Amino acid sequence: MERTGPTVRFSGLLATCTAAVLVAGALVATAPAASAADVDVARNGTFEAGLDGWSCTAGSGSAVSTPVHGGTKALKGTPAGNDNAKCSQAVTVKPNSRYTLSAWVQGSPVYLGATGTGTTDVSTWTQSTGAWKQLTTSFTTGPSTTSVSVYTHGWYGTPAHYVDDLTLVGPGGDPVVVPAVPAGLRTTAITSSSVALSWNAVSGATGYDVYRGGTKVASATGPSATVTGLTASTAYSFQVTATNAAGESAKSAAVTATTTAGGGGGDTKLPARALVGYLHSSFANGSGYTRMADVPASWDVINLAFGEPTTVTSGDIRFSLCPVAECPNVESEAEFKAAIKAKQAAGKKVLISIGGQNGQVQLASTAARDAFVTSVSKIIDTYGLDGLDIDFEGHSLSLNTGDTDFRAPTSPVIVNLISAVKTLKAKYGSDFVLTMAPETFFVQLGYQFYGSGPWGGQDPRAGAYLPVIHALRDDLTLLHVQDYNSGPIMGLDNQYHSMGGADFHIAMTDMLLAGFPVAGNTSRVFPGLRPDQVAIGLPASTQAGNGHTSPAEVNKALNCLIKKTDCGSYQTRGTWTDLRGLMTWSINWDRFNNWEFSRNFDAYFGS
């Protein structure tokens, strides 16, 4: 405190309305008193409720029991790499009002501040390695400011720091009331294993909880959600509530739905955690040729790259081993077939992958559709394969103008592909393995754009895989979207995410599992897939493709999706404990890179 003349002025919290009394001949200040309108508007600043109300970058924050300044908990922030362990929360405030922000901290250094004030944002910092020290700063909100962000953080490369008893004192914001009960609950899509729901948005709600038979099974930030992991041909009852800081509304009126009978999709005896890789069998490149017999046991699904069409529109798919002139160490066809059988005897699946970067396939006619079925069947039978991988890229799939509903496609290249795959599935039965490897442009971009759009002018390929995935979801074994060679894609948090780090894989995979409204249309929600139907697609090395992700970042993505730790700024819509695993381009590039990708997979899952 400072003393000036005959009065006492406090420079800390609540510096107004200070009183002084004479005690035993000495002037002693009484505790400073806030004005009647002033309250602490920060939420859980004592951290007694863990991190409730707080968001910490890169999973850097945690609630600890020692050291603490008061109570039983404090915030521990741990900077790592390029992250400074910033923890923040949005706080409701009143315009044109004075607020004082304070916290007790320990560490070297620790920062405290506020942004979005509408006037001048403020911050302060200190070094306090051995004892708790109080940080204090003040600001006045702007004429239209109703929310500010308060934060603490450390510094790059420094040890962990601690924060406790954080307050933001000033006029209280408008009281938050429990939101109204959601109305209009309805189903938007039903499969053998999932039900997509939507409802009317509720004013003042910040989230929604979905209940199945009275048990909470999902949460959402918007008025739609997909409940997955259901049993075929089973009736279910659903309700939804609206939530905000004040609490949860009563449950809505129930809606019932019966899942469809299903088509025999599923894991087809895959291990709980599967590693999928592409084997360059028909060509050579800088990675070198790898014989089938030399593929390590780490790989559970081996996709033969590639079967390609005789012409773009013929549907006639051909596959042959790499020529000796191009691949001097290529095995004979008899050796190749024997190696496939040996892999299958060891429980591995070997598929023919159709398409790739150079293999454009457009089934624009029924004749092309029938040729596709006949020629793919011949390849499967010749080599004794377990199924089919669809790797259509480039201009293979696009949506005709006016084809705007992924649930009922009309474009011939889409309709004929669906029909062809269903015919192959029916021919080979329930053990037929079906996988797909689309690019983000054809799947997650559909959250924003679908086809040429309602008024035309958009790229007709945007989201074009969605009707194929949706129509075949009950036959689909694995979807492994290529999280590489991609531009920035908007996630369910309505933020753009860029490839190369854990954040991209977390956001892109969460979209597949939670589902999303296509082109923002909440009446056309793409239902989430089962976690056991999804693997993350990555390049095996820096040479394999743009967007290579280091093993450390891959592990962060797995931690977030499977365990809900290391999530960073993106918070998943669920904890996807049954996520199937990883896919990579390619086995050859992984060998070129000393098997870094597969070794990390084995180490993470304890293989």
Side-chain angles (χ1 to χ4, degrees):
M1 70 181 85
E2 289 183 352
R3 181 168 179 170
T4 306
T7 63
V8 177
R9 180 167 61 86
F10 282 74
S11 59
L13 276 177
L14 308 179
T16 59
C17 305
T18 301
V21 295
L22 192 65
V23 178
L27 190 65
V28 179
T30 63
S35 64
D38 285 351
V39 295
D40 179 11
V41 294
R43 175 181 173 186
N44 187 33
T46 63
F47 302 98
E48 296 300 298
L51 296 183
D52 182 42
W54 292 91
S55 176
C56 299
T57 57
S60 57
S62 61
V64 297
S65 57
T66 184
V68 297
H69 177 262
T72 63
K73 296 287 179 62
L75 168 68
K76 178 181 179 181
T78 308
N82 293 324
D83 180 71
N84 63 3
K86 182 177 181 180
C87 294
S88 60
Q89 74 164 261
V91 183
T92 301
V93 294
K94 286 187 175 296
N96 295 318
S97 299
R98 185 73 174 173
Y99 289 87
T100 301
L101 175 65
S102 179
W104 289 86
V105 302
Q106 185 181 122
S108 178
V110 190
Y111 292 75
L112 175 71
T115 60
T117 63
T119 54
T120 301
D121 293 345
V122 296
S123 66
T124 184
W125 68 280
T126 189
Q127 292 184 340
S128 176
T129 57
W132 289 97
K133 184 174 181 178
Q134 190 178 39
L135 285 173
T136 301
T137 186
S138 299
F139 60 87
T140 299
T141 55
S144 60
T145 302
T146 58
S147 176
V148 300
S149 176
V150 298
Y151 65 85
T152 69
H153 65 74
W155 199 246
Y156 309 101
T158 60
H161 62 271
Y162 303 89
V163 181
D164 202 358
D165 295 332
L166 182 147
T167 58
L168 181 64
V169 175
D174 293 331
V176 179
V177 298
V178 175
V181 177
L185 179 62
R186 55 199 178 273
T187 62
T188 56
I190 301 174
T191 74
S192 65
S193 60
S194 66
V195 173
L197 302 164
S198 64
W199 53 89
N200 299 338
V202 176
S203 177
T206 57
Y208 302 89
D209 290 334
V210 178
Y211 291 81
R212 185 186 70 215
T215 301
K216 180 180 172 181
V217 292
S219 296
T221 56
S224 64
T226 299
V227 181
T228 60
L230 306 179
T231 302
S233 303
T234 303
Y236 293 94
S237 176
F238 300 97
Q239 294 171 285
V240 64
T241 62
T243 61
N244 62 17
E248 182 178 17
S249 74
K251 294 183 178 69
S252 70
V255 64
T256 59
T258 300
T259 52
T260 60
D267 66 10
T268 62
K269 301 187 177 82
L270 290 182
R273 307 296 186 190
L275 181 61
V276 183
Y278 287 79
L279 184 67
H280 310 175
S281 300
S282 63
F283 62 94
N285 60 13
S287 64
Y289 185 83
T290 300
R291 298 169 136 239
M292 173 64 72
D294 294 334
V295 175
S298 300
W299 303 92
D300 301 295
V301 180
I302 304 167
N303 292 330
L304 306 181
F306 288 104
E308 299 181 0
T310 54
T311 65
V312 171
T313 58
S314 70
D316 186 8
I317 307 300
R318 304 296 175 89
F319 171 79
S320 60
L321 290 176
C322 185
V324 175
E326 189 177 353
C327 304
N329 61 324
V330 66
E331 65 268 62
S332 69
E333 188 159 299
E335 291 171 328
F336 186 69
K337 292 178 180 178
I340 290 173
K341 288 184 178 179
K343 293 296 180 186
Q344 293 168 328
K348 312 304 181 182
K349 305 296 182 182
V350 184
L351 317 181
I352 179 64
S353 180
I354 308 297
Q357 180 178 356
N358 299 325
Q360 306 289 299
V361 182
Q362 296 176 3
L363 305 184
S365 65
T366 55
R369 175 200 66 191
D370 295 343
F372 183 87
V373 171
T374 299
S375 58
V376 171
S377 297
K378 183 177 180 180
I379 295 170
I380 291 174
D381 294 342
T382 297
Y383 294 95
L385 304 179
D386 296 289
L388 168 67
D389 173 69
I390 301 174
D391 186 15
F392 285 16
E393 300 180 18
H395 291 270
S396 293
L397 296 181
S398 63
L399 296 157
N400 290 355
T401 301
D403 190 350
T404 58
D405 189 346
F406 75 95
R407 301 166 300 181
T410 58
S411 303
V413 294
I414 303 291
V415 174
N416 289 332
L417 176 60
I418 294 168
S419 175
V421 175
K422 283 188 172 292
T423 299
L424 288 167
K425 176 73 175 182
K427 176 178 179 178
Y428 290 102
S430 60
D431 289 336
F432 185 77
V433 178
L434 174 63
T435 65
M436 300 183 193
E439 296 164 295
T440 56
F441 188 93
F442 296 92
V443 183
Q444 288 94 337
L445 185 66
Y447 179 50
Q448 291 180 274
F449 308 105
Y450 186 70
S452 58
W455 302 282
Q458 295 175 186
D459 191 318
R461 300 172 298 164
Y465 247 96
L466 292 175
V468 179
I469 298 167
H470 184 64
L472 297 170
R473 64 174 56 237
D474 290 334
D475 303 308
L476 181 64
T477 308
L478 275 179
L479 176 71
H480 30 66
V481 174
Q482 301 176 36
D483 285 359
Y484 49 94
N485 296 334
S486 170
I489 301 290
M490 181 178 286
L492 295 179
D493 56 354
N494 292 326
Q495 302 297 314
Y496 282 95
H497 300 267
S498 298
M499 62 182 182
D503 174 78
F504 190 65
H505 306 298
I506 293 166
M508 295 302 99
T509 306
D510 190 52
M511 294 179 77
L512 302 176
L513 298 168
F516 54 87
V518 175
N521 187 339
T522 56
S523 67
R524 294 178 179 175
V525 176
F526 175 79
L529 295 168
R530 301 190 316 269
D532 64 272
Q533 288 180 296
V534 174
I536 307 172
L538 312 100
S541 68
T542 55
Q543 301 91 342
N546 295 321
H548 175 256
T549 306
S550 69
E553 290 295 300
V554 172
N555 292 348
K556 283 183 182 179
L558 292 171
N559 285 342
C560 178
L561 292 163
I562 296 173
K563 306 173 185 177
K564 215 173 178 65
T565 62
D566 281 345
C567 289
S569 61
Y570 185 94
Q571 297 298 311
T572 61
R573 272 50 179 174
T575 304
W576 313 112
T577 55
D578 294 331
L579 183 72
R580 181 64 72 180
L582 303 178
M583 173 276 278
T584 192
W585 176 263
S586 62
I587 295 173
N588 304 62
W589 280 118
D590 192 36
R591 181 182 184 180
F592 182 87
N593 201 35
N594 197 31
W595 304 113
E596 179 185 75
F597 189 92
S598 53
R599 288 178 190 274
N600 184 65
F601 176 90
D602 291 343
Y604 184 90
F605 289 114
S607 300

